[in-house]
Amino acid sequence: MSADRITGRRLVAVTIGILLALFLVALDQFVVGSAMPRIVAELHGLDSYSWVLTAYLVSLTTVTPIAGKLGDLFGRRSVLLVGMVGFALSSALCGQAADMTQLIAFRAVQGVFGGLLFSNVFASVADLFAMEARVRVQGALGGVFGIASLVGPTIGGYLTDGAGWRWAFYVNLPVSAVAIALVLVAMPRIRSTASLRDVDLAGALTLAGGLVPLLVGVSITRDHAWGSGEVLGLLAIATVMLVVFVGRELRARDPIVPLALFTDRTFTVAVVAGFFIYVAFFSALLFVPLLYQGVLGIRPSDSGVLVTPMLLGLIAGSVIAGQLMLRVSRYRYLGTGATLLVALGAALLAQTTIASDQQDVVRALVILGAGIGVTIPLYLNSAQAAVERRLVGVVTSQVQFWRQIGGTIGVAVLGSLLSARLPASANVSAAQVALPSPVRIAIAGGLHDVFIDAALCAVVALVASFFLRETAVRRRRGELATAPVEAAAD
């Protein structure tokens, strides 16, 4: 292999392609979410409503840690291109679904390719950019999530009301085409000597065998009690398979998940902090609309818009974090301050009553979003900087994986606790605008507990933040403009 450095327009082009790949995955969830009521009405699948999301998230989360290792072995460019092409084709299949069963199956396939993209987008930035430039670009990647969540519901609603719900999936095709073209033309090709024999197939299969029943088990607690046979059976299978997975990885020559990574303090802090912060993040995304509608009596159409302050705070925090990491030598205290903001924002949300003003909720959301926005690039960059370059893909995918797991499990647990607190009448009436005061009080009490628990999770992340070991992120000035990459000779 010969060394190559990409600069100028080529670097800009590949960066845009990577940003579009991430935007594609992030946007999809929000666009499809807006279209779901129309989808279930036309396909007659109200009883399968939640499985459209569950199938996608389970497959995406399961593939994420495996995808990072594949990128390390076969090159980020190849895995990204497979992910983008597969995501586009599976999106087209979703748009062609004739019933809910087909749609759920196609969404599961789409999640597999989404997982390939999700981890390798962030790892690609680590490959392409020197550390000083990387922290800025990672901040921009964090902002992509916020932008997608801002425009996604509007795009989804517009497409559903106009061209029809199938275009909520077809819209991915032109975005994919642009991203594929940019990555294909501009991203350096790394010649890999790895083969399929180098993949820890047994590790990948046992990991999937543990994660799928785990995620499905916690997801169905919306409809089944935690002590039910279905939930306990799935969790038992997950436990056995994950124990087998750990045993396999300890013996593997080149494991999918090098367990020795957890002996690195910086990596472990990033994983622990990400897990618990995303409990608070996902809780806000899911339960704040209920807070607006069920406690404050705000119309559903307005409650969606009022979540925007958290997303704007997230975008601002992500961008600012990249700048501050270059200027503050003890940047672990940025993480400490950010997790403190997350805990404070969640605690303020817990104080909402039927007498509260919506501005109180908006203020809490800005604080919460800013804190989350800072942590997203900060802990990822610190974990990437702490390991050898050959492990960047694995580390990146692991950080993303534990965030997803934290959000998924946290929402399931907190959601089941909320359901247990509320009377049946409250569950039925929560989506209505005008609610009787006793029901609104009951919902406020249940959400108080949810957000207090979310704040306590942020406190765990706060404690973990004190143990972060900083790795220098500032380099020579000249490195900011170039991207060192080992590329195949043309």
Side-chain angles (χ1 to χ4, degrees), residues 23-46:
F23 184 69
L24 183 70
V25 179
L27 182 69
D28 178 80
Q29 299 183 51
F30 295 101
V31 172
V32 173
S34 297
M36 278 306 299
R38 183 71 58 83
I39 292 174
V40 298
E42 292 192 14
L43 298 184
H44 308 292
L46 183 60

Side-chain angles (χ1 to χ4, degrees), residues 155-243:
I155 294 174
Y158 177 79
L159 290 172
T160 302
D161 291 338
W165 66 264
R166 297 182 187 276
W167 279 92
F169 298 103
Y170 296 151
V171 71
N172 292 332
L173 301 181
V175 179
S176 297
V178 176
I180 290 169
L182 290 172
V183 170
L184 189 63
V185 172
M187 193 169 190
R189 181 179 56 184
I190 297 177
R191 182 176 296 139
S192 172
T193 59
S195 68
L196 290 177
R197 291 190 299 273
D198 297 311
V199 177
D200 178 18
L201 183 60
L205 292 176
T206 52
L207 177 60
L211 290 178
V212 171
L214 172 65
L215 294 172
V216 173
V218 297
S219 297
I220 66 173
T221 56
R222 292 185 295 257
D223 310 308
H224 299 75
W226 281 92
S228 67
E230 294 88 347
V231 173
L232 291 179
L234 287 168
L235 295 183
I237 294 172
T239 301
V240 171
M241 292 302 298
L242 290 175
V243 169

Side-chain angles (χ1 to χ4, degrees), residues 8 45 120 152 168 194 196 240 294 324 401:
N120 281 285
L196 290 177
V240 171
L324 290 179
F401 166 72

